[in-house]
Every structure is written in structure tokens, then in C-alpha cells.
Amino acid sequence: MAPSIRDLQLTAAETNVSLSESGEDERLLSSYDEENSGNLRRIQVSVVGMTCAACSNSVESALRSLNGVVGASVALLQNKADVTFDPSQVKDEDITNAIEDAGFEAEILREPSTSHSNPSGNLVGQFTIGGMTCAACVHSVEGILRKLPGVKKAVVALATSLGEVEYDPVVITKDDIISAIEDAGFDASFLQSNEQDKTVLGVTGIMSEMDVQMLEGILCNLKGVRQFYFDRTSKEVEIHFDPELLGSRNLVDEVESGSFGKLKLLIKNPYTRMASKDLEESTKMFRLFTASLFFSIPVIFMRVICPRIPLLYSLLLWRCGPFQMGDWLKWGLVTVVQFVIGKRFYVAAGRALRNGSTNMDVLVALGTSASYFYSVYALLYGAITGFWSPTYFETSAMLITFVLLGKYLESLAKGKTSDAIKKLVELAPATAILLIKDKGGKVVGEREIDALLIQPGDILKVVPGTKLPADGLVVWGSSYVNESMVTGESAPALKEVDSFVIGGTINLHGSLHIKANKVGSKTVLSQIISLVETAQMSKAPIQKFADFIASIFVPTVVTLALLTLLGWYLSGVLGAYPKEWLPENGNYFVFSLMFSISVVVIACPCALGLATPTAVMVATGVGANNGVLIKGGDALERAQKIKYVIFDKTGTLTQGKATVTTAKVFSGMNRGEFLTLVASAEASSEHPLAKAIVEYTRHFHFFDEPSAAKAHNNGQESKSFGWLLDVSDFSALPGQGVQCFVGGKKILVGNRKLMTENKITIPSHVENFVVELEESAKTGILVAYDNDIIGVLGVADPLKREAAVVVEGLMKMGVNPVMVTGDNWRTAKAVAKEVGITDFRAEVMPAGKADVVRSFQKGGNVVAMVGDGINDSPALAAADVGMAIGAGTDIAIEAADYVLMRSNLEDVITAIDLSRKTFSRIRLNYVFAMAYNVIAIPVAAGVFFPWLRIKLPPWVAGACMALSSVSVVCSSLLLRRYRKPRLTTILEITVE
């Protein structure tokens, strides 16, 4: 079934997710940084053909060598590269060419297009290409496509069997492109393009030619359809239409109604390809492993078991031509393993060597070829001279089998690390109930539609027990919604008219009507999935060390293997060890060769390249399951070194729900008149304190019904309150308050600074009253009318219940908590004392919070900033680790390194604790990865053989090499058992 137009990922687009880093590491600029740092651009590139850390290091080096590239990070497991560059110096083609010159396949990953076509008028189409088996096929197809007239660019990916072609539709058509590919000997079919006036849909219900004619008849008579084509083989219909007259949902509706329900048009979920790709990789590796095992077991059986069974052994010794029957059987079985099942290693090794690089495939091909071709040589030499030497066919067979076993287990583990994304994808609803309205807005019916056909502005019905189909606003009804699967908050959230709802959450009780305002990739759920995917492909700075080691490891190992061969051979020839050490019918060269092959096999560095990315992938998935979204490995690495955590006060340490607790009048005005005057001035302000004052005044007077108050709180015009006075010349003064005119007289509502700048004297008794409020953790708001202070309001913002415990827990972890606020010093001191913070900064404007962060960074301290992600965004971006409280805001996602989905400070503890445990696991992974090499290489080289008679046969070396990768992956998977600290146990944390 063809993907829908919503599956498109074809045109370049900059991502909004930033990956900031500290120290001397290069910085991939976020959207916030880009506003201040020129016209840098960031793209992601799919890289096919990488098999170990040496490969990823080669790609990264090639990218960094380009003039204009300011940052490049390559993720081995995800086969992706993240590149930040100056588009005035480097083009997309330069980046892909650099990767291809390094011996790999490159493809720019693109985002959905929002325009009808690109500015140049070219189209970008995707084609499925079958029959490709190696990089040579890829180069062949690309070469053919690039030579076609009208084709501007062509990129082919072997792993996905996809080709992406940018072409001029005036010069060449998609059918011409398909024909060119097929003429080259490959299968081809069109998949999708960036045309927004075309869609490809799967059709079910086609049973005969009459059904096809019925479909064509419906489309011919449908207004807005320009042309269409039905593929009888794939049962897909391609439709070109006028988007101003027709939409995708209208197409589906007209076809299904016109066929009286016989025909159904199907839309493919955009994320289903991800799960199928993991399954396909695992299935392929399992098939290769089982095939190799099937042919290898008889070889081992003939070597180990048959000599103990006289009848079978006599059959193997039976001479058939120049060789014994056993030799013929071993040669035939191992040849299949070596050149049919193991063909992939030769292909990959050849590609690497042609481009001057070395990787795991080179070592595997070198080790297996040495044992195989020596065994063939030994047979031929024995047939000619009569001197028979031992053969080592089983070494080649078992080595390939163990390598494929390791690859299969790795593919299973990689699939498991994406469980968090799979769970998020499963939250997406499959269907929705669309309400049908007449021209007067009256509901006249309802129908069930595919959730992928929801359009902005649709009114959808949500019944109890079902998933909300899209992000939107409640327009009718009230209910409680379980948002724990997205926010992690266990308590159901009350949703009433004008409440925002998140697609994928579950409606618990009452029915709701919601108006969809975000669909497709714009939904909160899709943004979360995108964030987790980006994080899992990121590279931690610690991995650069592993990449460096891997880049020099393979040549070093090959050199060491040659030295081992020469050393043992020359030592034997010179008589340094007795001939009794030699195997039966063996010679010095055979004896030396086995040590050399063992060195080549055991030293594969693939485990080294998996140590960091597997742990990062698991950690980001675990974090997402616990409501903590992590930007990537660099953020994880910095978080485990945090020395200071700076908290914003309002909305972070406090609940962000200000309430008026005191109203004191210092003039002859009565209390009701005073409150009405203040509320009238504050009614036009969006500040939380202003809303608290208006709400307090409404309750005091009982002038309005609750519905009126609700209307105000939902952002409607303040004049819905009939008792409010008319104001003029209203202005809000950030960091001070508001001012306006009521009845021709000036009214000021704000802090001392506002009064001082307007030359209004604050009497001592008023000042003393404000001081008392501030010392009790309340904010004092001064009110001046006609140049005189007429009263004071006391406003309190309750602390979050977990604030004090989290602060104490951070101290137990060796992290110093700091508070920063724009509030006055006395109120800040009272709040800090209540939560247990001794270091705080008061009267700090939003822009100044970043300066506070920088002051704590002096001396190389790693500083985290915890804020709401809106007015704190400069500080979040300036901090080494930005943690945004609350989810769903673009600024939070762009500026912060961690997004804490719940407004719960406990997640700060979780973020730091998870980071520390992740990097403890990474260090353990490096121990596993290096232990096999450091310990096993000397054993494989025979260093201890003269004294202990210990040697490592090549097939055992292959098993150790495969198990090294498996042990690293399994070690990372243990992070899935992570359990976040509970409030009852946080205080038991001690600094290690």
C-alpha cells in the first residue's frame, strides 16, 4: 500500500531541535543560537554501509574536512549524520559527495513540504528499486539517473532500496525514470513525490475488471480530479487533483460512496515503516546465521565427532579422486559459507579498501580468506607432493557463523532500544468520529474516518474510553482525560470548554467535542517522537575517543598480525622453539599462520563502536518512558557532571497559580471601590498576578456568574465583566507593573521601582506593611491613584509540595541548588528559606538570568538551568544543561537539553540520576569492549604459549569477537531496568 501525502519526507528543512555542548567540543547551533550566529544550516544525512566505529569516524572526518562545515556528528547505529554548515560555502551535494568519496552511500533526510512545489519548479520523487545487492549496484543506478536529461540530482540508498530523484517535470516524467532503471536490469516503481496536488492510495475491493471500471468512472466524474492512474499489480491509484476544489478526505469519501462501500481507499500510517525495517533486518540476519550454522555443523562434526566413530571415520578417509571424501565434503560445505553466505563481507571489505579505509568487514574477510585459501592450498599441495598438511576449513565456517550470530543479536538489541518510540507510535489513534454540520453550524450527523484524514478545523467527537484523535481545543462537554502516556502525570486532567487536549491521550468519562488545530507532524505526540529519534542518533563527546581508537585500530591489528606471523615463523626457522610444538603434519608457516589469523579475528573493534550509542539509545528511551525527554548523548554526558542547578522561582519552585491573600486600603476609599479600580487596571494584562487580582475582585463582589469568570480566564474580552471601569492608555511595564488612566486620573499598579520612577512617595507605614508581606514569602503590590498610594495587595504563589525534598535530595547528590527570580529580595529570601536554598539571586530580569548562569560557569563548573522554557529561554540556552519544565512549547524544545514532560521537580533528580547511571554503564561497556582486546590479543598472538602452552584457535577467537559485541549491547539493555528515585528514597542518595 502506498504511503499518503502525509508520509512525505522529501524537501529540505531545518530542524528546531538543538544539540548544545560544553568545553572544547564543537557546537551544533540551536534555533536560538541561529538568530545570533549568522545563516548556519543544519541537516541530517542517511549514511549506508557503516559497520563499525572506524566507518563512522571516516565519515565524520570527511565531513569536517569540508570548508564551511562547523559541526558533524555521525551515529553508527542509526546510520545517520548530523551536519551544521554555512550554506554560502557548502552545498548539500558537497556533503553527500564527501560521504560517497569515503566509500559510503549518502542521502539527505528531508521534512514534509508545506508548499505546492519547490521554488525552482522541480519535483522530488521517491522510487523503489529492486535487485540491488551491493554498492556497485547503487553507483550504477545513480550514474544512469544523473545522466538523464532533466534530472538535477539523484541519490540511491541500498539499505532502504529507495531512490530519490530531483527532476524537471517539463523535460522528463517519472515513467521515463522508471524505464531507465529497468533498462539497467533493476526493478523500479514510483512511490511518492512532493507534489501537494497528488496522492497515491491503496485500493481494496477490486475483484474484477468491472470494479476497475467503476473506480475509473467515479474518478472521471469527480470535480477537481485532473488525471489518475490505477496500477492493477499493486492495486494502488495515483490521483492528480486541484487542492482548491478537492482534498484527500473528499477523494476517499467520493470513491467509497460512489461504489456503495465496495471499494475502500487506505492510508498508511507514517511510522509503520520503522517497525517493519527493524523486523526485516533481524529476519535477514537470522536467515543468514541459520544457513551458515546449517553448513558449519557438519564440518565441526567431521572434525570433532567422526574420528571417534570408526565406521563414519572410515567413510571420510575413503579416497575419491585426488582427495579423501572428508576433504571434498569440507571444501564443498565451507565454500558455500565462504562465498555465498559470506559474500556480504567481501563486498563491504572491497568497498572499504577501494576508498582507502578499513573496517570490521576487512578483518573478517582477511581472517576467513586466510584460513580458507590456506586449506585449499594444503589440499592441492598434498595431492601434488604427497605431503599432507592439516586443513582449517572449520575455522572459516565457524568464524562467519559467529560473526553473523553477533550481528543477529545486535539487530535484536537495536530493535529493543527503540521500544520507547514504538510505544509512542502505538498511542496514535487509528480512527476518529467526524461531526457533520450544516451551513448554520448545527450537527446533522457523524461518521468514522481514518485518523490520518483529519484536517485542521474538523470538529471531532470523543466518546468515553477512546483516544483523542488530534491536538485541539474542547468546544463542547467536560471530562477527565488520562494524559499519563504523554505527560507522565498519573492524575486525570479535567477538560472543559476551551481546554487544550493532546492527541493520543484517553478520554475517561464524559463525551467531548474537540476542534482539531494540530495534525500530522505538528502534534505534540509527533514532536515527542521526533525529539526521541533525534536524541537516539546523537553522539556523546566520549564517543570521539572510541572513534579515534577505532580509526587506528584496524591498521594496527593487521600490522600486529603480520608481525605475529613473521615472528613465529622466523623463530621456528632459527630454532628458537622445538618442532614438537608444531601440529601433526604441520610446518612452521602453518603454526605461525594460526596465531596470525587468531589475532586478526579477535581484534575486531565493533564492540568499541557500540559502547556509547547503544547506552544512549536505551537511556533516551527510558527517559521518555519516565517523562524526561533528552536531546542526546552530549546532554547526557554534561548532565552527569552537573555542579549547580539554578531554579527559576515562579512556575518552577512554585505552582505558578498566584492568589491574592491580602488587600489593605490606605485611603478613604472603601474596599470594594479599591478592588474595582485595581481590577480594571489589571484586566488588560496577561500576567498571572493580574489574573489573580481580577479573579479575587470578582469573588469579592459576586457581580458575575462563574461562567463569566470562565470566559475571562479563557482569554475573552475583559468587558465581559460589566462592573469593570473604562480604562485608557494602558501599558504594561516589564519588571515593574502596569499603568493606565481611569476617569482621567493615572493609576499605577506594581512594585517600588514603578513608584520611584513616577516620583510617588511611599509612606513609612505602607513600606513596613509591604516588608511584612515579603518576609512571609508574599509579593507586595503597590497601588497609586492620582499620584498617591491608596493601598497594597499581597499575592502568594504556593510552593510545589516536592520542592523542599528535591532541593535536599540534590544536596545529597553533591549538587548545589540556586534560585533566581525577578521578585524582590525579601520575598526571594523567604521562599529560598522555605525550600532550603541558601544561595539565591533576586530582582533579576529575564534577560539577566543568562548572566547569572554564566557567573556560575566560571571555573569550568557545569551548570543546569531549570525554568518554564518561555521567559527563561535565554538562560536555558546559556546553561550547560537546560531543563524545561512542562512540555508542548516550541521554545522549551528548542532552548533546553531536557524537557521534563510533567511540571514535577522530582524529574530533575531523575534526569541527573539517569545521566549518571548511563555513563557508569558506558564506562562499563568500554571495559567489556577493551577487555577482549587487551587480554585476548596477547593470548591469540601466542605470547603465553612458550610457558603455559595456551593458544586461542581462530574459531574460538571468532566466538570471543562476536560475544564482545553482544556483551556490550546486553550491558546497555540492562539500563531498561532503570527505576527513577522515589521521593521517599531521594534523601538516601549519597555522593559516591
Side-chain angles (χ1 to χ4, degrees), residues 140-449:
S140 175
V141 175
E142 284 185 342
I144 293 169
L145 292 175
R146 290 171 180 170
K147 293 178 181 178
L148 294 175
V151 171
K152 308 299 180 183
K153 185 174 63 174
V155 178
V156 177
L158 176 63
T160 57
S161 297
L162 290 177
E164 185 171 287
V165 184
E166 180 181 342
Y167 62 97
D168 186 346
V170 177
V171 179
I172 191 172
T173 67
K174 63 178 180 61
D175 294 328
D176 297 330
I177 296 174
I178 292 174
S179 298
I181 298 173
E182 292 177 342
D183 289 343
F186 302 93
D187 299 325
S189 63
F190 175 75
L191 183 62
Q192 57 188 1
S193 79
N194 65 334
E195 292 177 286
Q196 295 299 294
D197 58 351
K198 184 189 68 177
T199 185
V200 179
L201 304 173
V203 185
T204 61
I206 298 289
M207 306 299 294
S208 64
E209 186 63 27
M210 291 183 63
D211 295 330
V212 175
Q213 294 176 4
M214 179 172 60
L215 173 64
E216 293 175 345
I218 295 171
L219 294 176
C220 286
N221 296 322
L222 188 58
K223 185 178 181 181
V225 172
R226 294 170 176 167
Q227 63 182 51
F228 61 88
Y229 170 74
F230 177 73
D231 189 328
R232 287 169 169 76
T233 302
S234 63
K235 293 189 176 180
E236 294 176 349
V237 60
E238 176 187 306
I239 307 172
H240 291 252
F241 59 93
D242 186 345
E244 296 183 358
L245 300 176
L246 198 61
S248 296
R249 191 167 72 220
N250 303 118
L251 276 171
V252 174
D253 292 345
E254 294 294 338
V255 171
E256 293 184 354
S257 62
S259 64
F260 302 101
K262 179 175 176 58
L263 302 181
K264 298 288 184 182
L265 299 187
L266 305 179
I267 308 294
K268 188 174 182 179
N269 189 298
Y271 299 106
T272 53
R273 188 179 296 174
M274 177 183 62
S276 62
K277 185 177 180 180
D278 292 339
L279 180 61
E280 182 181 350
E281 180 184 3
S282 298
T283 303
K284 178 181 179 181
M285 285 299 139
F286 180 73
R287 186 171 60 251
L288 289 173
F289 163 67
T290 53
S292 181
L293 185 64
F294 175 80
F295 286 101
S296 299
I297 288 179
V299 177
I300 298 298
F301 184 80
M302 286 185 283
R303 178 65 179 262
V304 179
I305 305 298
C306 286
R308 292 173 172 79
I309 305 175
L311 179 60
L312 292 179
Y313 194 54
S314 62
L315 292 175
L316 295 178
L317 295 178
W318 178 57
R319 185 167 296 279
C320 182
F323 309 122
Q324 296 174 350
M325 180 60 68
D327 294 330
W328 282 110
L329 291 175
K330 289 180 182 179
W331 173 78
L333 291 170
V334 175
T335 298
V336 175
V337 175
Q338 183 75 26
F339 298 107
V340 179
I341 300 174
K343 176 184 176 181
R344 62 190 308 273
F345 298 110
Y346 281 104
V347 171
R351 183 176 65 246
L353 292 175
R354 282 197 304 271
N355 292 278
S357 63
T358 52
N359 55 25
M360 183 197 74
D361 299 300
V362 173
L363 293 180
V364 173
L366 185 61
T368 58
S369 297
S371 59
Y372 175 84
F373 287 110
Y374 166 75
S375 299
V376 172
Y377 166 78
L379 288 178
L380 295 175
Y381 183 79
I384 295 173
T385 65
F387 294 97
W388 299 93
S389 299
T391 60
Y392 296 95
F393 283 117
E394 68 278 354
T395 295
S396 175
M398 293 309 296
L399 174 56
I400 291 177
T401 300
F402 280 124
V403 171
L404 292 174
L405 172 61
K407 286 291 184 182
Y408 169 62
L409 294 177
E410 287 173 26
S411 67
L412 287 180
K414 292 175 186 177
K416 290 182 178 179
T417 57
S418 61
D419 278 353
I421 296 178
K422 292 178 182 177
K423 289 180 180 178
L424 290 170
V425 171
E426 290 171 358
L427 294 178
T431 60
I433 300 176
L434 176 67
L435 294 180
I436 303 172
K437 295 187 175 183
D438 58 19
K439 294 181 179 180
K442 182 180 178 180
V443 176
V444 295
E446 61 185 53
R447 59 182 288 255
E448 186 176 75
I449 63 171

